[in-house]
Amino acid sequence: NVYNLLEESPGVYKTENINIIYNQKYDLKIVAEDNTYNASTTLAKPIIIDSLTYSFESFFGEEYCDVFIHFQDPAETKDFAIIYIKRNNDKYEFPILYEDRLTNGNYFKESLIQIPKEELLSGRNTVEFFMRTVNEETYEYYKSLLPVLASDQDGSLFSPSSPENPKSNFNN
């Protein structure tokens, strides 16, 4: 099937009524100003977060709340995901990459955020997790992009001084 995307606002293109089939290859062709750009991807089946839990902990006298994400990793597929965390309806924090190389087929429970007790006592707190399952190529793209983004945030000595172009699924 071919779907034409309509420009909704500058740089934003949308279409409706696409029937998504997981593990099927999709191609994208963009023609702009006499240039043609091609990309393809396979849509990965979503991994469903089944619950969030928390526990109160203490480390070197500092008390905090550990928030855990829980889900079953499918054994029959090689899975990759990007997990986003939003606190107190603010912007999403730095994404966390997940691959099931060491957890394939296992039940996954992991603490992804710690909230200091002082913050908890300061008022109402919310934590939102969003997990986007991606294919391996998209995972590798984000993996190559995150060090560049991290260097912009903290100016660390270990940040790359001259980043390379991130991997992409576009052919040009």
Side-chain angles (χ1 to χ4, degrees), residues 123-136:
R124 185 173 177 188
N125 288 277
T126 61
V127 178
E128 178 181 326
F129 287 82
F130 173 72
M131 183 163 66
R132 186 173 72 152
T133 309
V134 296
N135 63 20
E136 187 170 4

Side-chain angles (χ1 to χ4, degrees), residues 2-73:
V2 174
Y3 300 95
N4 291 314
L5 304 176
L6 302 174
E7 187 172 25
E8 186 174 271
S9 61
V12 177
Y13 296 83
K14 291 188 175 183
T15 191
E16 295 180 10
N17 301 322
I18 296 179
N19 293 322
I20 301 298
I21 300 171
Y22 298 115
N23 300 317
Q24 179 174 313
K25 182 180 173 190
Y26 288 85
D27 296 310
L28 174 67
K29 179 179 178 181
I30 299 171
V31 179
E33 299 177 6
D34 298 328
N35 293 313
T36 301
Y37 304 91
N38 293 295
S40 63
T41 191
T42 302
L43 296 179
K45 186 175 181 182
I47 299 172
I48 307 299
I49 299 172
D50 65 50
S51 60
L52 299 174
T53 59
Y54 65 91
S55 67
F56 293 99
E57 306 291 336
S58 181
F59 188 69
F60 290 111
E62 297 292 322
E63 294 182 64
Y64 61 92
C65 177
D66 246 341
V67 181
F68 295 85
I69 185 173
H70 302 257
F71 60 87
Q72 177 66 50
D73 181 85

Side-chain angles (χ1 to χ4, degrees), residues 116-127:
K117 183 178 181 180
E118 314 81 65
E119 252 183 73
L120 286 173
L121 297 176
S122 67
R124 185 173 177 188
N125 288 277
T126 61
V127 178

